[in-house]
Amino acid sequence: DTGVSQDPRHKITKRGQNVTFRCDPISEHNRLYWYRQTLGQGPEFLTYFQNEAQLEKSRLLSDRFSAERPKGSFSTLEIQRTEQGDSAMYLCASSLVGITYNEQFFGPGTRLTVL
Amino acid sequence: KQEVTQIPAALSVPEGENLVLNCSFTDSAIYNLQWFRQDPGKGLTSLLLIQSSQREQTSGRLNASLDKSSGRSTLYIAASQPGDSATYLCADNAGNMLTFGGGTRLMVKP
């Protein structure tokens, strides 16, 4: 399977714990994006990387959130001191800039439940 | 700031019907318009991408149009099937991010 993969698929944690999610993009894609989706809503942009550089962050990405893409391949999204409001589906997408009109392809998502 | 709206939020049709899903956006300086399908609890599947210089794209029973001057895009589904039941999302693909509408939840009844 050469699509976008995310791990874990589901995460249940207690309020105040830290969690980390991983995303592996399509191998030749140079851009990687993170989105958050709550029930019944469309996804909201959080941040994106071009290669290893984090180029933009949404104001939704509070200080408790940090994302990395250390070698320009996979990415991690960490949430520190989780709150119940962090419960959502976290989606990762990737794209190849310059050839495919930046069409974004999504992974299956990580569903986070904060108790 | 771009705002994307999809109406209706939910739609139920009998199998075989042709249907149109609507997407409107406030900023006509749209880069590309992308349509997605999302099954319950799953990620998004890209259906069609319309470049800003194009007016429509077709894939199988799906046809998407883009009218930048009126700030609208439509997704036409021909001869709907129960397997088409899902949430359909449109998004302004601005290059660095997608701005999504809230989606239309489609139910096709056998």
Side-chain angles (χ1 to χ4, degrees), chain A residues 49-68:
Chain A
F49 295 83
Q50 180 151 326
N51 300 313
E52 65 274 12
Q54 187 174 17
L55 296 186
E56 189 158 351
K57 295 193 290 186
S58 162
R59 56 181 168 77
L60 293 175
L61 211 66
S62 76
D63 291 345
R64 296 184 298 106
F65 288 69
S66 62
E68 295 182 342

Side-chain angles (χ1 to χ4, degrees), chain A residues 89, chain B residues 37-45 83-88:
Chain A
M89 174 80 90
Chain B
R37 168 186 173 138
Q38 186 174 32
D39 292 291
K42 303 294 176 75
L44 280 64
T45 300
D84 295 330
S85 298
T87 295
Y88 291 81

Side-chain angles (χ1 to χ4, degrees), chain A residues 33-48:
Chain A
Y33 310 79
W34 286 98
Y35 294 84
R36 181 173 69 185
Q37 185 179 29
T38 53
L39 206 59
Q41 304 296 316
E44 295 175 292
F45 170 78
L46 293 178
T47 188
Y48 88 97

